[in-house]
Every structure is written in structure tokens, then in C-alpha cells.
Amino acid sequence: MLAPASPPALRRRAAPGIPKTAEPTAPPHFSGVARLAPAVPGSPSPLLLESQGGCALSRVPARHRMKSSARRLSRVAPAIAVSALIAGALFATPGAAFGAAPASSSVDVAAADSASGGVAIAVSSADNGTATAGADLVLTVEISNPGSDALSDGTVEIALGRDALTTSTEFDAWIDGSSAATTTVDTVATATSPAVGPTSSHLLQITVPAAQIDPSLFDDGWGVYPLRAQVTAGGTTVASTASTIVWSDGASTAPAATSVTVIAPITSVASSTGLIQSAALEAFTSDTGVLTRELDAVFGRPVTIAVDPRIIASIRALGSTAPASAVAWLERLDAAPNPIIPLTYGDSDISGERQAGAASVLQPTSLAYALKAANFVNVSQIIEPAGATDAATPTPSPTPAGVPTLEQLLSWDYTSTAVAWPRSGAASTADLPFFAASGLTTTIVDSSQVTAPAATAGGTADLDATALVGDQRVLVADHGVSQALQDSVSATSETRKGEALSQLAGSLAVAAGAAQSDDTAGAAPSQTLAVLDRSAMNLSSIDDALSVIQSRSWSTTGTLDDLLATTPTQTVTLTDATEDEQRVAQIRTLLGSEQSVDAFSSVLSDPQVLTGEHRADLLALLSNSWVSNEGGWSVAAQASVTDDQKVLASVQIVEGSNINLLSNQAPLPVTISNELPYPVTVIVHVTPSNGRLLIDTNDEPITIEAGSRKGAQIPVTAVANGSVTLSFQLLSPSGVLVSTPSPVIVNVSADWETWGTVIIALVIVVVFGIGVLRLILRRRKARTTAASATQDDTDTDTDTHTHTDGTTTDESPPQ
């Protein structure tokens, strides 16, 4: 009996076409084992010997599709006899719930989707999807009910398809459910399933003895055959899943092994900052941190690492202040024997950039804004690679060393720097030359987007791992292999992981078989590319997937170097994929906002302290890690645009009131504010609306210190009286318009100065004249008064005779 397990959560894997729902949290319930026992000696048919936990299983051969009349007759007769004997035994068994013998059928996936209510089913085989003639077929079925209503008891049905899947197109169509309605399968076993409560799961182990597996099911010999499990309750199919088994009859030979190159990304969580903060790095690189788990999972294994350069640059930018765990993580990455290629900075959405109108693939321009020279004194080579400005010979008080360049922060010993990896299903033909123009001459695309040319013998040829789209080189990731690999590392239960590993074995067998049918004698071994997407995953379980690849005779692990060294000989067609128009429009807005900030930055003596940070933040915001959180991304993108508007408004002329100009010449006062943390240099350009006012000196540069205000004087000359509207423009030294404040109205009354001067002068003259006149009159009066007083005195003492000629004679008597 299958031993119980207790996974923390079960992630639904619904029947093909059934959308995923919330994950159930209750542990699975085990009902026991349902087994068809070998036939009793002396009896030509098997008997039901064991039924535990309410689960029963029947093996009733289905209708056979024969390739000739003779074969049909020879096989149907024994099957009918076996069916009769089994039916008799079953009906004689108390408590066994069996229906009529099932026939060949096809499942209506749409109906299952409609009736499921979120119920999901998964099936895995004991040997990860392989079965051999003479061995029992042991299956584990998991039924999950994440809903709030209980699932009534019903029936689990196991079915196999007779026709082997021989191409990746057929395999993908079966797994994703698009061919379920047209693929005929034969029911090989049924079992009763008990009721499953809300948010609960139930496990069944079903064993079909080897003696009861009809060899006619595998007429095609060695190959990959469809396997279906579905659960029916109340007469309705509520969930179905599609998987495969690789059947080996011992007579047919498996194809030559295909060389499988696996690429796994190492990325960080979504954020809107161009560099990961120190505290976050410490958490991510701790013993249980996400970056530690990702690196541990692939270190030293046959996996190519695709690393986000933002992680490397973020650690190095901290210099000597970088957390010890982050430095140790970087050293371990450096020691990894794995091939390593870079993603774009921040794992940015490069297809979205092109569709939004970017001129080239966006790259960081500078990280100097985050560097402090004091943090780069006597640091290790892993932090400051060779070529950085070295510090002088250490002294008790060392002089701060120069900071590393952008190239040094991003440098790494990569296997290749020419590989572009757009998000799966997002690339288009027009993207490829766009990538190539930025040095990314090889692009990874998903095989679901690629169509191979028609094969010589008709039909469709299978895809090579390296191909050409026009004159652009692509690496074609096998969709079936990649999806199975992805499902295996993201599975939340052992049954679901086993189902994914079964699909992985099947997809690899299809890839190997298709390549062998296309190969000519002496051709090199076929190659297969498998990639893990950026979605959340548990990379710690990648060993199970690698074990499947390495343990099967039809597959082995390969290297990226071999794949890149292969000259493509197949020309394929890439089906264009367009991103959501709303997302593209938002990216277009972000790019336009960046252009405005770039132009504005010319007010700085070193524009890169502003543009470098803005570009790094933009690349983080364009990260593919945001795709699964469109709502959060929209909020972050709008916040970025709002912040850009604040930057553009950080340097401006302070609004003033209207001015009354009462003189012919005067300086107009202007105040300029700078809210940036850097000094800026601007030019004030003033344009009068008419000729009443002339600007004597225009376009003079003015430097405003960080976070301050500064006044400027604009000399003007009045020509005539009247109203003049002055339009101000704040320009950068390169002529970029920085700010356009509201116009200022100047009321020119220059004549008031002339008339005022005249009036004041006249007043002064009059006042002065009056004063002089009063002084003269006062003195004259004083003289007259004095003369009169003297005459009176003389008349008293003397007799003065006045002659006719005006002379006088003193006639007073002698004393």
C-alpha cells in the first residue's frame, strides 16, 4: 500500500483545458490499494482478490481496432472470453461496484471543465512514465477538491491510446488537451473513488498486473503512448488529465539518445529599484534565501545558468559594506563549473521594449549614483574586478580609492554574451534583428511558436534545436520537454511531480524518436533544448528531473557550448506573438518619460547621476518577474511616471506678481528654485510681448546649489509707457527647455521718472528761492530797523541842516 505523505499544499493540475484554481491546503486522504491479482492457477481469467478502502478495480479489455480481418478475429475471441470470466467473477464479489465493460472513448474536455468546479486529477506511474512488457503497471491517482462543496463518490477511469505519439506536435496537442476530443483511447481499468471533502485530496494506488495488459494495445512497438485518467461523479466527468507512458516491448529498439541542454534562470523578486538593497540581498542570500536555494539547486549540475546581472552589480555596488552572505554567494557563483550566460539587466522584457518603440535593447548607462569611493578601499577582486582604479599603498589613514566602472560592475566570465532570451511565447520575427543590432545574435524561442518546413515524404518535419528564421539564428526550446521540466520543479505533491516526470520521459522519447527518423546515416546525435521559465519554482527538486534525463537510454545531458557550436541547417517560420496592448502602451509611456528625464538632465554637470539611476530603475520595472502581477506592475509603473514628473518640475522659476516699472532702466528680480540633490546650471531667457521694454542682457547662465533658491537680476530698458507681458523660459546650457512659468505683466510708466525729477527740482528751486528771498528781506528789514534806530538817536543830540545838494551840516553847539 502506498505510504501516506503530507505535502504542505497541493497545486491543481486540471484536465487539459481546465483552468487552475486555488490550491487546496488539506493533506491528501489515502483510500488504499485497488489491485487486479494474477489469475488463479487453473483458471483462464483473473479474480478480484483485494479491495481496500472502498476502492475496486476492474480490467475489461476494450473494443479492438484491428488492422486486418484475420487479426481482428484472432484477438477479439480471446478478449470476449476474458471479459466474460472477469465479469462473472466481479458480479460474484460482494460490495464491488462495477459497471458495464468500457469501450473505446474520447473525453469531452469542455464538459469536464464545465462540471469540475475546480476538481483536479493527477496520475503518475511507478517508474516515472515507463512500462515494460512483463511488468505490472503501477499508477498513483490523486483527486483534489479545492472547492467549498464536497465531491461525491464516483469512478476513476484509466485509459491508454493505441497510436504512439511520434512528433512533438502530437505530444504537445495530447498534453495540452487540444487533441483529446479526436484521440481514441481504450479504458484499461476502473476504480471506485470515495467522496472527497472540501479543500481535501484523495490518493488511490492502482496496479494492473502485467498478465492483464493486452499486448495489442501497443501494436506500434516501442514508443510513447497516451495515458488518460479521469474521475466521474454523478454520471458527469468532473476532471481529467493527460499523461504518457513510454512502452518497451523488448523487441523494438529505443532511438539513439538525444543530447539535452537545460537552461535555468537565476533571478530576483520583482521590484522597481535598479539595485537590490543591502537588507534584501542579505535576506536573499541567507541559508534559506531565494538566491541561495536557486544556486544550490543547479550548482555543479549539467545545467546552464542564466543569471540576472542586476544581482551581481547590486552586490558589487555596495563595496566593503556588502553583506557577508551576499559576497559568499557571489564567490560561489564564480566557483560554479556550470556554463553561465547573462540575462538582460533586470531580466527586462526585451520584446516589450521593441514593440513599444525602443531604438535598441535597453542597457544600464551608469551606476555611479550608488557608489561611494570610501567603500572600495582594499576590497576583494570579486567585488572590484581587475581593471578598477586601484588604491594607493595602504597607510594608517588610506586615501579612498576610485570607484569601479560600469563595465567592471557587470563583468563576468560568461560562456556567451550573445544569447537573447525573451519571455516564452512573447517573441516575434521583428524582434530578432532588433536583438541582433544590440549584439544578441542568437535568440531562444519556444517551439510552440515555430513551424518547421514540410518533410520530404509529406507531413511536418520535427524541429531542430538550432535553426534560422530568415538570416537570424534561433535556439528552439522544445515546448513539451520544457513544460514537463517546469511542472516537475513546481509540483506541490509527489503525485503531480511523478506525472510531470512521466511527461518528461515521454517528451524526450518523442524528441529522440523524431530526430532519429529525420537523421541520415552517420549524422551527429540529435540535440534538445529545455528551458525553465521565470515563474516561481522549487529548483531543489531539479535533481529528479535530471535523473530522468540521465537514466533513460533515449536521452542524456548536453552542454550549451555544443548547442552554440552547431551550424543551423533548418529554416523555420516564427509565429509572431504580440504582447498585451495595454502593457505595451504602458511601456511606451515609461520610455517617453525616460526621454524627458534624459533631456532634462542636461542641467547637471554630470547628467549620468540622474539618468543612470533612472535607467536602472526602468529596467527593474520592465523585468519579466512583474508579468505575473499585472496589477502591481501597473501601480509601480504609474508611480514611476509620477516621480519623473516631480523630477521635471524640480527646477523652476518661482512664480511672482506683476511688476510696475517706473524708471527707464531697472533690473527685474527672478528667483529660481532647485529641489534636486545636485547643483544645476540654467539659463533664463526673457521675451517681451512688445517693443516698450528691451531686455538688455539675456541668456546668462545661473548656477543654483542643491536644494536651494537663488535670485537673478535681468536688466531692462523702458522705451515707452504701457503694459508689457514678459514670457520666461528656463533652459539648460544645451538649450533644452526646463521650465515655462506663467507670464509676468510689467506696467511701464517711465515718464513718471522725468516729471518727478522736474517737479522735485522745481520744488527745490522754489523752496530755495523762497528761502533766499526771505533771507534777503529779513536782512533788509533788519538794516532798515537798525538805521531808523540810529537816526532817532542822532536827532536827539544834534541839529542837522540839509542843503539843497543833499549834504548836511552839523549845527549843534560846541561842547
Side-chain angles (χ1 to χ4, degrees), residues 34-36 56-62 98 100 102-103 137 139 141 155-160 186-192 205-209 212-213 217 227-230:
R35 178 181 176 85
L36 277 177
L57 175 70
S58 68
R59 169 66 174 96
V60 183
F98 293 95
L137 178 60
L139 303 173
V141 175
T155 302
V156 173
E157 180 182 285
I158 304 297
L160 288 171
D186 295 336
T187 301
V188 297
T190 59
T192 56
Q205 188 179 75
I206 300 173
T207 300
V208 181
Q212 307 315 310
I213 299 178
L217 288 171
L227 169 66
R228 189 194 73 197
Q230 67 181 33

Side-chain angles (χ1 to χ4, degrees), residues 11 267 290 294 486 489-491 533-539 628:
R11 175 174 174 268
T267 59
V290 59
E294 289 178 352
Q486 179 77 22
V489 299
S490 59
D533 205 0
R534 282 85 157 181
S535 59
M537 63 187 72
N538 178 20
L539 279 179
S628 60

Side-chain angles (χ1 to χ4, degrees), residues 467-493:
L468 292 173
V469 175
D471 60 350
Q472 302 296 324
R473 176 174 175 159
V474 295
L475 299 180
V476 182
D478 189 295
H479 180 79
V481 177
S482 298
Q483 187 61 56
L485 184 64
Q486 179 77 22
D487 288 345
S488 71
V489 299
S490 59
T492 54
S493 73

Side-chain angles (χ1 to χ4, degrees), residues 421-503:
W421 188 5
R423 190 174 68 257
S424 178
S428 63
T429 304
D431 292 341
L432 306 185
F434 173 78
F435 300 157
S438 299
L440 304 174
T441 55
T442 301
T443 302
I444 297 175
V445 296
D446 190 85
S447 65
S448 63
Q449 283 189 257
V450 179
T451 302
T456 304
T460 303
D462 226 61
L463 294 165
D464 292 344
T466 59
L468 292 173
V469 175
D471 60 350
Q472 302 296 324
R473 176 174 175 159
V474 295
L475 299 180
V476 182
D478 189 295
H479 180 79
V481 177
S482 298
Q483 187 61 56
L485 184 64
Q486 179 77 22
D487 288 345
S488 71
V489 299
S490 59
T492 54
S493 73
E494 288 301 314
T495 304
R496 298 178 190 282
K497 182 197 292 186
E499 181 178 61
L501 293 177
S502 296
Q503 295 170 4

Side-chain angles (χ1 to χ4, degrees), residues 60-420:
V60 183
R63 183 181 72 245
H64 296 161
R65 295 174 293 136
M66 308 304 292
K67 299 183 179 179
S68 68
S69 299
R71 292 180 62 187
R72 183 180 298 110
L73 180 60
S74 63
R75 292 181 176 176
V76 171
I80 294 174
V82 171
S83 299
L85 290 170
I86 293 177
L90 295 180
F91 281 109
T93 305
F98 293 95
S104 299
S105 64
S106 61
V107 65
D108 187 342
V109 177
D113 183 21
S114 175
S116 67
V119 176
I121 185 172
V123 60
S124 65
S125 66
D127 195 20
N128 292 329
T130 59
T132 306
D136 294 349
L137 178 60
V138 181
L139 303 173
T140 300
V141 175
E142 178 182 79
I143 305 170
S144 302
N145 178 21
S148 57
D149 297 327
L151 175 67
S152 61
D153 57 356
T155 302
V156 173
E157 180 182 285
I158 304 297
L160 288 171
R162 288 179 173 271
D163 297 328
L165 305 172
T166 58
T167 68
S168 58
T169 301
E170 293 177 355
F171 181 90
D172 294 344
W174 170 251
I175 295 299
D176 65 27
S178 59
S179 68
T182 58
T183 301
T184 302
V185 294
D186 295 336
T187 301
V188 297
T190 59
T192 56
S193 63
V196 181
T199 65
S200 300
S201 297
H202 185 85
L203 292 181
L204 296 173
Q205 188 179 75
I206 300 173
T207 300
V208 181
Q212 307 315 310
I213 299 178
D214 188 352
S216 68
L217 288 171
F218 308 107
D219 283 344
D220 291 338
W222 186 98
V224 181
Y225 291 85
L227 169 66
R228 189 194 73 197
Q230 67 181 33
V231 58
T232 302
T236 302
T237 300
V238 295
S240 178
T241 186
S243 189
T244 58
I245 62 168
V246 181
W247 174 262
S248 176
D249 58 5
S252 305
T253 303
T258 183
S259 178
V260 184
T261 299
V262 178
I263 302 179
I266 291 184
T267 59
S268 184
V269 299
S271 73
S272 57
T273 58
L275 290 171
I276 306 172
Q277 302 303 309
S278 177
L281 281 173
E282 187 171 15
F284 295 161
T285 57
S286 65
D287 290 343
T288 58
V290 59
L291 293 180
T292 298
R293 296 197 307 270
E294 289 178 352
L295 184 56
D296 286 348
V298 298
F299 186 92
R301 292 166 175 81
V303 176
T304 296
I305 298 173
V307 65
D308 179 0
R310 174 172 170 256
I311 301 172
I312 299 172
S314 296
I315 298 173
R316 285 175 168 169
L318 294 171
S320 57
T321 65
S325 62
V327 176
W329 185 92
L330 197 61
E331 290 172 340
R332 190 154 186 258
L333 179 66
D334 183 54
N338 308 58
I340 301 178
I341 60 174
L343 298 167
T344 51
Y345 191 92
D347 188 26
S348 59
D349 182 1
I350 52 180
S351 289
E353 293 171 14
R354 200 278 307 169
Q355 294 178 32
S360 61
V361 174
L362 300 182
Q363 299 290 346
T365 57
S366 174
L367 298 176
Y369 69 91
L371 305 181
K372 296 180 180 179
N375 293 338
F376 293 92
V377 179
N378 303 326
V379 294
S380 65
Q381 285 288 320
I382 197 68
I383 295 296
E384 188 176 21
T389 304
D390 295 329
T393 303
T395 63
S397 299
T399 302
V403 297
T405 64
L406 175 65
E407 290 72 19
Q408 289 167 310
L409 291 174
L410 298 176
S411 67
W412 200 263
D413 185 18
Y414 291 117
T415 302
S416 173
T417 57
V419 178

